[in-house]
Protein backbone atom coordinates (compact mmCIF):
# COMPACT_ATOMS: atom_id res chain seq x y z
CA UNK A 1 0.00 0.00 0.00
CA UNK A 2 1.59 3.28 -1.08
CA UNK A 3 1.33 6.67 0.51
CA UNK A 4 0.16 9.38 -1.88
CA UNK A 5 1.97 12.09 0.04
CA UNK A 6 5.27 10.30 -0.54
CA UNK A 7 4.81 10.73 -4.34
CA UNK A 8 4.51 14.51 -4.17
CA UNK A 9 7.58 16.65 -5.02
CA UNK A 10 9.53 17.87 -1.97
CA UNK A 11 9.13 21.37 -0.59
CA UNK A 12 11.90 23.91 -0.43
CA UNK A 13 14.68 22.55 1.72
CA UNK A 14 17.31 24.63 3.56
CA UNK A 15 20.92 24.10 2.69
CA UNK A 16 22.57 21.22 4.54
CA UNK A 17 24.35 22.40 7.70
CA UNK A 18 27.59 20.82 8.86
CA UNK A 19 25.72 19.08 11.72
CA UNK A 20 21.93 18.89 11.89
CA UNK A 21 20.62 21.10 14.67
CA UNK A 22 19.15 19.61 17.83
CA UNK A 23 15.37 19.82 17.90
CA UNK A 24 13.58 21.75 20.62
CA UNK A 25 10.62 19.68 21.75
CA UNK A 26 7.34 21.35 22.69
CA UNK A 27 5.93 20.40 26.07
CA UNK A 28 3.11 18.34 24.51
CA UNK A 29 5.56 16.31 22.40
CA UNK A 30 7.82 15.77 25.42
CA UNK A 31 4.84 14.35 27.33
CA UNK A 32 4.16 12.02 24.40
CA UNK A 33 7.78 10.79 24.47
CA UNK A 34 7.59 10.23 28.23
CA UNK A 35 4.42 8.19 27.74
CA UNK A 36 6.14 6.05 25.12
CA UNK A 37 9.05 5.39 27.44
CA UNK A 38 6.76 4.17 30.20
CA UNK A 39 5.42 1.55 27.78
CA UNK A 40 8.85 0.15 26.95
CA UNK A 41 9.02 -3.45 28.20
CA UNK A 42 11.81 -4.88 30.28
CA UNK A 43 14.85 -6.25 28.40
CA UNK A 44 14.11 -9.54 26.67
CA UNK A 45 14.92 -12.71 28.53
CA UNK A 46 15.12 -16.22 27.22
CA UNK A 47 11.76 -17.96 27.45
CA UNK A 48 12.75 -21.22 25.79
CA UNK A 49 14.53 -23.25 28.44
CA UNK A 50 15.00 -27.02 28.56
CA UNK A 51 13.28 -28.94 31.28
CA UNK A 52 15.29 -29.54 34.44
CA UNK A 53 14.80 -32.61 36.60
CA UNK A 54 15.05 -30.77 39.92
CA UNK A 55 12.79 -27.80 40.56
CA UNK A 56 15.27 -26.10 42.85
CA UNK A 57 17.73 -25.58 39.97
CA UNK A 58 15.08 -23.54 38.12
CA UNK A 59 15.51 -20.75 40.64
CA UNK A 60 17.96 -18.13 39.38
CA UNK A 61 18.52 -16.95 42.95
CA UNK A 62 19.59 -20.44 44.04
CA UNK A 63 21.99 -20.86 41.12
CA UNK A 64 23.49 -17.42 41.63
CA UNK A 65 23.81 -18.04 45.36
CA UNK A 66 25.56 -21.36 44.80
CA UNK A 67 28.08 -19.79 42.39
CA UNK A 68 28.75 -16.81 44.66
CA UNK A 69 29.19 -19.09 47.68
CA UNK A 70 31.65 -21.33 45.85
CA UNK A 71 33.74 -18.40 44.62
CA UNK A 72 33.65 -16.73 48.05
CA UNK A 73 34.97 -19.90 49.70
CA UNK A 74 37.75 -20.12 47.10
CA UNK A 75 38.59 -16.46 47.75
CA UNK A 76 38.89 -17.04 51.51
CA UNK A 77 41.16 -20.04 51.01
CA UNK A 78 43.30 -18.10 48.50
CA UNK A 79 43.58 -15.21 50.94
CA UNK A 80 44.83 -17.52 53.68
CA UNK A 81 47.33 -19.32 51.42
CA UNK A 82 48.77 -16.19 49.82
CA UNK A 83 49.02 -14.33 53.13
CA UNK A 84 50.76 -17.34 54.68
CA UNK A 85 53.42 -17.28 51.95
CA UNK A 86 53.91 -13.52 51.71
CA UNK A 87 53.10 -12.20 55.18
CA UNK A 88 50.77 -9.32 55.88
CA UNK A 89 53.04 -6.54 54.61
CA UNK A 90 54.04 -8.53 51.54
CA UNK A 91 50.39 -9.28 50.79
CA UNK A 92 49.43 -5.59 50.95
CA UNK A 93 52.37 -4.53 48.78
CA UNK A 94 51.65 -7.28 46.27
CA UNK A 95 47.96 -6.40 46.23
CA UNK A 96 48.65 -2.75 45.50
CA UNK A 97 51.15 -3.43 42.71
CA UNK A 98 49.15 -6.27 41.14
CA UNK A 99 46.06 -4.06 40.87
CA UNK A 100 47.76 -1.56 38.54
CA UNK A 101 47.36 -3.40 35.18
CA UNK A 102 43.92 -4.86 35.93
CA UNK A 103 41.74 -1.84 34.96
CA UNK A 104 43.68 -1.35 31.73
CA UNK A 105 43.35 -4.99 30.68
CA UNK A 106 39.66 -5.19 31.56
CA UNK A 107 38.93 -1.93 29.73
CA UNK A 108 40.77 -3.21 26.64
CA UNK A 109 38.77 -6.43 26.54
CA UNK A 110 35.52 -4.60 27.22
CA UNK A 111 36.32 -2.23 24.34
CA UNK A 112 36.59 -5.22 22.00
CA UNK A 113 33.10 -6.28 23.11
CA UNK A 114 31.38 -2.95 22.35
CA UNK A 115 29.47 -4.16 19.28
CA UNK A 116 27.39 -6.70 21.20
CA UNK A 117 28.41 -6.31 24.86
CA UNK A 118 28.11 -9.46 26.91
CA UNK A 119 26.33 -9.35 30.27
CA UNK A 120 28.47 -8.07 33.10
CA UNK A 121 27.47 -11.02 35.26
CA UNK A 122 29.24 -13.37 32.83
CA UNK A 123 32.40 -11.26 32.79
CA UNK A 124 32.46 -10.84 36.56
CA UNK A 125 32.06 -14.61 36.93
CA UNK A 126 34.97 -15.15 34.54
CA UNK A 127 37.22 -12.72 36.42
CA UNK A 128 36.27 -14.17 39.82
CA UNK A 129 36.79 -17.73 38.58
CA UNK A 130 40.26 -16.86 37.34
CA UNK A 131 41.22 -14.93 40.48
CA UNK A 132 39.86 -17.40 43.04
CA UNK A 133 38.86 -20.85 41.73
CA UNK A 134 41.49 -21.28 38.99
CA UNK A 135 44.22 -19.78 41.18
CA UNK A 136 43.33 -22.10 44.05
CA UNK A 137 43.37 -25.15 41.77
CA UNK A 138 46.74 -24.08 40.37
CA UNK A 139 48.35 -23.50 43.77
CA UNK A 140 47.20 -26.84 45.18
CA UNK A 141 47.89 -28.93 42.07
CA UNK A 142 51.25 -27.33 41.23
CA UNK A 143 52.49 -27.68 44.81
CA UNK A 144 51.37 -31.30 45.06
CA UNK A 145 52.85 -32.26 41.67
CA UNK A 146 56.19 -30.53 42.30
CA UNK A 147 56.58 -32.16 45.71
CA UNK A 148 55.69 -35.56 44.30
CA UNK A 149 58.27 -35.20 41.51
CA UNK A 150 60.92 -34.02 43.99
CA UNK A 151 60.23 -37.00 46.24
CA UNK A 152 60.23 -39.48 43.37
CA UNK A 153 63.41 -38.17 41.71
CA UNK A 154 65.24 -36.89 44.80
CA UNK A 155 66.16 -33.80 42.76
CA UNK A 156 64.27 -30.67 43.91
CA UNK A 157 65.91 -28.41 41.29
CA UNK A 158 64.78 -30.57 38.39
CA UNK A 159 61.36 -30.90 40.00
CA UNK A 160 60.96 -27.11 40.06
CA UNK A 161 62.01 -26.81 36.41
CA UNK A 162 59.73 -29.63 35.32
CA UNK A 163 56.88 -28.22 37.36
CA UNK A 164 57.24 -24.77 35.76
CA UNK A 165 57.57 -25.96 32.17
CA UNK A 166 55.22 -28.97 32.09
CA UNK A 167 52.94 -29.17 35.12
CA UNK A 168 52.05 -25.49 35.55
CA UNK A 169 50.98 -24.83 31.92
CA UNK A 170 48.72 -27.89 31.87
CA UNK A 171 47.14 -27.23 35.26
CA UNK A 172 46.74 -23.46 34.95
CA UNK A 173 45.39 -23.39 31.40
CA UNK A 174 42.96 -26.21 32.18
CA UNK A 175 41.73 -24.39 35.29
CA UNK A 176 41.19 -21.16 33.35
CA UNK A 177 39.54 -22.99 30.46
CA UNK A 178 36.92 -24.33 32.88
CA UNK A 179 35.36 -20.83 33.14
CA UNK A 180 35.13 -20.55 29.36
CA UNK A 181 33.61 -24.02 29.15
CA UNK A 182 30.99 -23.23 31.79
CA UNK A 183 29.88 -20.05 30.02
CA UNK A 184 29.96 -21.80 26.65
CA UNK A 185 27.63 -24.53 27.94
CA UNK A 186 25.33 -22.67 30.36
CA UNK A 187 25.33 -19.19 28.78
CA UNK A 188 25.30 -20.32 25.17
CA UNK A 189 22.95 -17.53 24.14
CA UNK A 190 25.59 -14.95 25.10
CA UNK A 191 28.49 -16.93 23.56
CA UNK A 192 28.11 -16.53 19.81
CA UNK A 193 31.52 -15.96 18.24
CA UNK A 194 35.21 -15.24 18.36
CA UNK A 195 34.97 -11.90 20.17
CA UNK A 196 32.93 -13.48 22.98
CA UNK A 197 35.55 -16.21 23.41
CA UNK A 198 38.39 -13.70 23.46
CA UNK A 199 36.68 -11.40 25.98
CA UNK A 200 35.70 -14.20 28.38
CA UNK A 201 39.20 -15.69 28.16
CA UNK A 202 40.75 -12.26 28.74
CA UNK A 203 38.70 -11.57 31.85
CA UNK A 204 39.45 -15.04 33.24
CA UNK A 205 43.18 -14.78 32.62
CA UNK A 206 43.33 -11.23 33.99
CA UNK A 207 41.79 -12.46 37.24
CA UNK A 208 44.25 -15.35 37.41
CA UNK A 209 47.25 -13.11 36.72
CA UNK A 210 46.01 -10.68 39.39
CA UNK A 211 46.18 -13.33 42.13
CA UNK A 212 49.44 -14.79 40.83
CA UNK A 213 51.05 -11.34 40.75
CA UNK A 214 50.05 -10.76 44.37
CA UNK A 215 51.85 -13.97 45.30
CA UNK A 216 55.01 -13.24 43.29
CA UNK A 217 55.28 -9.56 44.21
CA UNK A 218 54.49 -10.20 47.87
CA UNK A 219 57.10 -12.97 48.04
CA UNK A 220 59.66 -10.69 46.36
CA UNK A 221 58.93 -7.96 48.90
CA UNK A 222 59.42 -10.45 51.74
CA UNK A 223 62.74 -11.51 50.24
CA UNK A 224 63.88 -7.88 50.03
CA UNK A 225 62.92 -7.38 53.67
CA UNK A 226 64.95 -10.42 54.64
CA UNK A 227 68.16 -9.40 52.80
CA UNK A 228 67.73 -5.65 53.23
CA UNK A 229 67.60 -4.54 49.59
CA UNK A 230 65.44 -1.73 48.25
CA UNK A 231 65.03 0.60 45.29
CA UNK A 232 65.69 -0.37 41.67
CA UNK A 233 68.13 -3.09 42.72
CA UNK A 234 65.50 -4.93 44.74
CA UNK A 235 63.82 -8.19 43.81
CA UNK A 236 60.44 -6.45 44.02
CA UNK A 237 61.44 -3.90 41.36
CA UNK A 238 62.74 -6.63 39.05
CA UNK A 239 59.61 -8.72 39.50
CA UNK A 240 57.40 -5.69 38.93
CA UNK A 241 59.25 -4.83 35.71
CA UNK A 242 59.01 -8.35 34.28
CA UNK A 243 55.43 -9.18 35.30
CA UNK A 244 53.66 -5.80 35.28
CA UNK A 245 55.59 -3.66 32.78
CA UNK A 246 56.90 -6.17 30.23
CA UNK A 247 54.29 -8.93 30.23
CA UNK A 248 50.95 -7.92 31.75
CA UNK A 249 49.35 -9.58 28.72
CA UNK A 250 51.11 -12.95 29.14
CA UNK A 251 48.34 -14.92 30.84
CA UNK A 252 45.58 -13.29 28.74
CA UNK A 253 47.57 -14.13 25.61
CA UNK A 254 47.78 -17.82 26.56
CA UNK A 255 44.13 -18.19 27.48
CA UNK A 256 42.88 -16.18 24.48
CA UNK A 257 43.99 -19.12 22.33
CA UNK A 258 41.55 -21.32 24.25
CA UNK A 259 38.87 -18.65 23.88
CA UNK A 260 39.48 -18.56 20.12
CA UNK A 261 38.88 -22.30 19.97
CA UNK A 262 35.55 -21.96 21.75
CA UNK A 263 34.64 -18.89 19.68
CA UNK A 264 35.25 -20.60 16.33
CA UNK A 265 33.31 -23.62 17.59
CA UNK A 266 30.35 -21.34 18.32
CA UNK A 267 30.35 -20.13 14.71
CA UNK A 268 29.93 -23.57 13.15
CA UNK A 269 26.81 -24.92 11.48
CA UNK A 270 24.68 -27.23 13.58
CA UNK A 271 25.35 -30.27 11.40
CA UNK A 272 29.09 -29.98 12.17
CA UNK A 273 28.78 -28.58 15.68
CA UNK A 274 29.44 -31.75 17.69
CA UNK A 275 32.87 -32.31 16.13
CA UNK A 276 33.78 -28.61 16.22
CA UNK A 277 32.63 -28.17 19.81
CA UNK A 278 35.09 -30.84 20.92
CA UNK A 279 38.04 -30.55 18.54
CA UNK A 280 38.45 -26.78 18.27
CA UNK A 281 38.41 -25.96 22.02
CA UNK A 282 40.87 -28.80 22.64
CA UNK A 283 43.13 -27.46 19.90
CA UNK A 284 42.99 -23.97 21.39
CA UNK A 285 43.73 -25.37 24.85
CA UNK A 286 46.72 -27.33 23.51
CA UNK A 287 48.11 -24.18 21.85
CA UNK A 288 47.64 -22.23 25.08
CA UNK A 289 49.51 -24.89 27.05
CA UNK A 290 52.30 -24.95 24.48
CA UNK A 291 52.78 -21.18 24.50
CA UNK A 292 52.64 -21.13 28.29
CA UNK A 293 55.28 -23.88 28.46
CA UNK A 294 57.51 -21.98 26.02
CA UNK A 295 57.18 -18.81 28.11
CA UNK A 296 57.99 -20.55 31.40
CA UNK A 297 60.78 -22.61 29.86
CA UNK A 298 62.46 -19.55 28.37
CA UNK A 299 62.98 -18.18 31.88
CA UNK A 300 63.88 -21.40 33.71
CA UNK A 301 65.89 -23.25 31.04
CA UNK A 302 67.28 -20.69 28.57
CA UNK A 303 68.40 -18.05 31.02
CA UNK A 304 67.73 -14.30 30.90
CA UNK A 305 68.89 -13.85 27.30
CA UNK A 306 66.73 -16.73 26.14
CA UNK A 307 63.79 -15.17 27.94
CA UNK A 308 64.24 -11.85 26.12
CA UNK A 309 64.75 -13.65 22.79
CA UNK A 310 61.47 -15.58 23.17
CA UNK A 311 59.74 -12.40 24.32
CA UNK A 312 60.85 -10.34 21.30
CA UNK A 313 60.77 -13.00 18.59
CA UNK A 314 57.65 -14.89 19.58
CA UNK A 315 55.46 -13.36 22.28
CA UNK A 316 55.22 -9.82 20.89
CA UNK A 317 54.44 -10.89 17.29
CA UNK A 318 51.80 -13.38 18.45
CA UNK A 319 50.26 -10.71 20.67
CA UNK A 320 50.13 -8.30 17.72
CA UNK A 321 48.64 -10.96 15.43
CA UNK A 322 45.90 -11.88 17.92
CA UNK A 323 45.12 -8.20 18.53
CA UNK A 324 44.75 -7.61 14.80
CA UNK A 325 42.57 -10.73 14.45
CA UNK A 326 40.26 -9.61 17.24
CA UNK A 327 39.88 -6.05 15.90
CA UNK A 328 39.29 -7.42 12.38
CA UNK A 329 36.61 -9.71 13.78
CA UNK A 330 34.94 -6.74 15.48
CA UNK A 331 34.88 -4.84 12.19
CA UNK A 332 33.38 -7.89 10.51
CA UNK A 333 30.62 -7.86 13.12
CA UNK A 334 29.78 -4.29 12.12
CA UNK A 335 29.67 -5.37 8.47
CA UNK A 336 27.31 -8.17 9.44
CA UNK A 337 24.94 -5.61 10.94
CA UNK A 338 25.00 -3.51 7.77
CA UNK A 339 24.33 -6.61 5.63
CA UNK A 340 21.57 -8.26 7.69
CA UNK A 341 19.42 -5.41 9.01
CA UNK A 342 18.39 -3.90 5.63
CA UNK A 343 16.07 -6.88 5.19
CA UNK A 344 14.09 -5.70 8.22
CA UNK A 345 14.19 -2.12 6.96
CA UNK A 346 12.73 -3.28 3.63
CA UNK A 347 9.97 -5.06 5.55
CA UNK A 348 9.08 -1.86 7.41
CA UNK A 349 10.41 -2.74 10.86
CA UNK A 350 12.93 0.12 10.77
CA UNK A 351 13.89 3.02 8.57
CA UNK A 352 16.55 2.84 5.85
CA UNK A 353 18.90 5.02 7.90
CA UNK A 354 18.96 2.76 10.96
CA UNK A 355 21.09 -0.12 9.57
CA UNK A 356 23.71 2.42 8.49
CA UNK A 357 23.77 4.08 11.89
CA UNK A 358 23.82 0.77 13.79
CA UNK A 359 26.86 -0.42 11.81
CA UNK A 360 28.98 2.48 13.10
CA UNK A 361 30.16 2.73 16.70
CA UNK A 362 30.47 6.52 16.37
CA UNK A 363 26.91 6.82 15.06
CA UNK A 364 25.62 4.69 17.93
CA UNK A 365 27.24 7.00 20.44
CA UNK A 366 25.84 10.07 18.68
CA UNK A 367 22.34 8.55 18.72
CA UNK A 368 22.46 7.85 22.47
CA UNK A 369 23.80 11.30 23.24
CA UNK A 370 21.20 12.95 21.00
CA UNK A 371 18.33 11.06 22.65
CA UNK A 372 19.64 11.84 26.11
CA UNK A 373 19.92 15.58 25.39
CA UNK A 374 16.70 15.90 23.42
CA UNK A 375 14.35 13.57 25.30
CA UNK A 376 16.00 12.81 28.64
CA UNK A 377 18.04 10.02 30.30
CA UNK A 378 15.28 7.42 29.89
CA UNK A 379 15.31 7.96 26.13
CA UNK A 380 19.07 7.49 25.99
CA UNK A 381 18.68 4.19 27.82
CA UNK A 382 15.91 3.14 25.41
CA UNK A 383 18.14 3.88 22.41
CA UNK A 384 20.95 1.86 24.00
CA UNK A 385 18.58 -1.08 24.42
CA UNK A 386 17.35 -0.66 20.84
CA UNK A 387 20.93 -0.85 19.57
CA UNK A 388 21.58 -3.99 21.62
CA UNK A 389 18.40 -5.73 20.40
CA UNK A 390 19.06 -4.77 16.78
CA UNK A 391 22.63 -6.10 16.99
CA UNK A 392 21.44 -9.38 18.46
CA UNK A 393 18.82 -9.62 15.72
CA UNK A 394 21.44 -9.13 12.99
CA UNK A 395 23.71 -11.80 14.46
CA UNK A 396 20.76 -14.16 14.90
CA UNK A 397 19.86 -13.80 11.23
CA UNK A 398 23.50 -14.25 10.23
CA UNK A 399 23.71 -17.49 12.22
CA UNK A 400 20.52 -18.68 10.55
CA UNK A 401 22.13 -18.15 7.14
CA UNK A 402 25.05 -20.33 8.23
CA UNK A 403 22.76 -23.00 9.64
CA UNK A 404 23.91 -22.25 13.19
CA UNK A 405 20.65 -20.87 14.61
CA UNK A 406 18.73 -22.88 17.17
CA UNK A 407 15.28 -24.42 16.73
CA UNK A 408 13.71 -21.40 18.44
CA UNK A 409 14.91 -18.99 15.74
CA UNK A 410 11.41 -17.80 14.76
CA UNK A 411 10.30 -17.22 18.35
CA UNK A 412 13.53 -15.42 19.20
CA UNK A 413 13.30 -13.26 16.08
CA UNK A 414 9.73 -12.27 16.93
CA UNK A 415 10.74 -11.49 20.50
CA UNK A 416 13.53 -9.17 19.34
CA UNK A 417 11.32 -7.48 16.75
CA UNK A 418 8.72 -6.87 19.44
CA UNK A 419 11.22 -5.02 21.61
CA UNK A 420 12.49 -3.02 18.64
CA UNK A 421 8.94 -2.03 17.72
CA UNK A 422 8.22 -0.86 21.25
CA UNK A 423 11.23 1.49 21.14
CA UNK A 424 11.03 2.64 17.51
CA UNK A 425 9.30 5.98 18.24
CA UNK A 426 12.22 7.11 20.40
CA UNK A 427 15.14 5.30 18.76
CA UNK A 428 14.18 5.94 15.12
CA UNK A 429 14.64 9.73 15.09
CA UNK A 430 17.83 9.47 17.15
CA UNK A 431 19.42 6.94 14.80
CA UNK A 432 18.29 8.92 11.75
CA UNK A 433 19.92 12.02 13.19
CA UNK A 434 23.11 10.04 13.94
CA UNK A 435 23.21 8.64 10.40
CA UNK A 436 23.11 12.16 8.97
CA UNK A 437 25.47 13.70 11.53
CA UNK A 438 28.15 11.06 10.88
CA UNK A 439 27.59 11.05 7.08
CA UNK A 440 26.37 7.45 7.19
CA UNK A 441 23.21 8.54 5.35
CA UNK A 442 23.85 11.33 2.82
CA UNK A 443 21.27 14.06 2.49
CA UNK A 444 19.78 15.00 -0.83
CA UNK A 445 21.09 18.29 -2.28
CA UNK A 446 18.99 21.31 -1.36
CA UNK A 447 16.04 21.96 -3.68
CA UNK A 448 15.82 25.29 -5.47
CA UNK A 449 13.00 26.68 -7.62
CA UNK A 450 14.36 27.50 -11.04
CA UNK A 451 10.94 28.03 -12.65
CA UNK A 452 11.60 31.76 -13.14
CA UNK A 453 14.86 31.19 -14.96
CA UNK A 454 14.99 29.90 -18.54
CA UNK A 455 18.12 30.67 -20.57
CA UNK A 456 16.32 29.79 -23.79
CA UNK A 457 13.51 32.27 -23.21
CA UNK A 458 13.71 35.57 -25.02
Amino acid sequence: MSDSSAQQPPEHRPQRPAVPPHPVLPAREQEHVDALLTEVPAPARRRYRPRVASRIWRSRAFRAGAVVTLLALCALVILVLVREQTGTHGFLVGLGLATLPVPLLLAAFRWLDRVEPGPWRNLLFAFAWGAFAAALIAIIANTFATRWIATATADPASADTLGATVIAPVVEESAKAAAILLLFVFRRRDFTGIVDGVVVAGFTATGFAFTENILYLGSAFGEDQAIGTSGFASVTAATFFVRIVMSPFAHPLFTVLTGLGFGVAALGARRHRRLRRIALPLLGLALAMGMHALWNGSASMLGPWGFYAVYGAFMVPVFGLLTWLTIWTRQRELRTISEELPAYAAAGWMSAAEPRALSSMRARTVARDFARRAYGPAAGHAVSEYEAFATTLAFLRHRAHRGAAGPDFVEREQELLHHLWQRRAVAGPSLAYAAQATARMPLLPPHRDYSGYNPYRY
Side-chain angles (χ1 to χ4, degrees), residues 83-423:
R83 183 181 174 278
E84 182 180 353
Q85 296 188 38
T86 62
T88 302
H89 291 90
F91 174 80
L92 294 177
V93 171
L95 177 63
L97 296 177
T99 305
L100 295 179
V102 172
L104 298 177
L105 291 171
L106 297 185
F109 284 111
R110 189 60 177 174
W111 177 83
L112 293 174
D113 201 29
R114 285 180 62 201
V115 177
E116 189 185 22
W120 270 109
R121 62 178 180 273
N122 293 352
L123 301 181
L124 292 177
F125 165 78
F127 180 84
W129 181 277
F132 306 138
L136 179 60
I137 294 171
I139 289 177
I140 296 175
N142 288 341
T143 302
F144 173 80
T146 302
R147 288 179 180 176
W148 182 82
I149 295 173
T151 302
T153 61
D155 188 357
S158 298
D160 290 338
T161 302
L162 185 62
T165 56
V166 178
I167 304 300
V170 173
V171 171
E172 294 176 7
E173 295 307 319
S174 299
K176 289 182 286 184
I180 310 174
L181 175 63
L182 290 172
L183 291 175
F184 183 79
V185 173
F186 295 104
R187 288 291 183 265
R188 187 66 184 84
R189 182 178 176 182
D190 302 322
F191 204 121
T192 58
I194 292 177
V195 173
D196 295 318
V198 169
V199 172
V200 170
F203 268 71
T204 305
T206 301
F208 183 90
F210 169 66
T211 301
E212 190 178 65
N213 286 337
I214 295 175
L215 179 60
Y216 277 94
L217 290 167
S219 300
F221 180 80
E223 185 176 346
D224 287 330
Q225 294 294 305
I227 61 179
T229 56
S230 61
F232 292 105
S234 64
V235 181
T236 304
T239 305
F240 178 84
F241 177 75
V242 171
R243 299 191 66 87
I244 306 299
V245 178
M246 283 189 61
S247 57
F249 59 84
H251 272 289
L253 178 61
F254 307 147
T255 313
V256 158
L257 294 174
T258 305
L260 283 174
F262 279 97
V264 176
L267 292 173
R270 297 186 65 83
R271 60 181 179 274
H272 303 306
R273 182 167 294 181
R274 179 169 297 180
L275 177 61
R276 295 167 68 102
R277 288 179 68 174
I278 297 175
L280 292 176
L282 288 178
L283 176 61
L285 178 60
L287 291 175
M289 292 176 180
M291 181 175 289
H292 197 158
L294 176 64
W295 175 255
N296 288 359
S298 67
S300 59
M301 299 178 64
L302 302 180
W305 293 111
F307 168 79
Y308 290 116
V310 170
Y311 178 85
F314 189 78
M315 296 291 292
V316 173
V318 170
F319 174 76
L321 178 62
L322 291 178
T323 302
W324 171 84
L325 175 63
T326 306
I327 295 176
W328 176 82
T329 302
R330 201 185 86 149
Q331 293 301 118
R332 192 180 69 170
E333 290 182 340
L334 293 173
R335 289 196 300 271
T336 298
I337 295 173
S338 66
E339 293 169 359
E340 299 293 345
L341 289 184
Y344 297 102
W349 287 100
M350 56 181 63
S351 67
E354 292 178 37
R356 293 176 176 267
L358 290 166
S359 61
S360 167
M361 299 307 299
R362 178 169 173 261
R364 287 181 174 212
T365 303
V366 170
R368 293 193 299 269
D369 294 342
F370 170 80
R372 194 175 296 112
R373 290 193 298 265
Y375 305 119
H381 182 67
V383 173
S384 178
E385 289 183 335
Y386 188 94
E387 293 171 352
F389 289 131
T391 302
T392 303
L393 180 64
F395 291 163
L396 179 68
R397 183 178 176 87
H398 185 62
R399 290 197 300 274
H401 286 161
R402 299 196 318 267
D408 61 342
F409 166 75
V410 175
E411 293 85 355
R412 178 63 177 146
E413 182 186 41
Q414 292 175 351
E415 182 184 12
L416 292 169
L417 287 173
H418 163 73
H419 286 282
L420 291 179
W421 191 255
Q422 293 296 318
R423 293 162 174 80

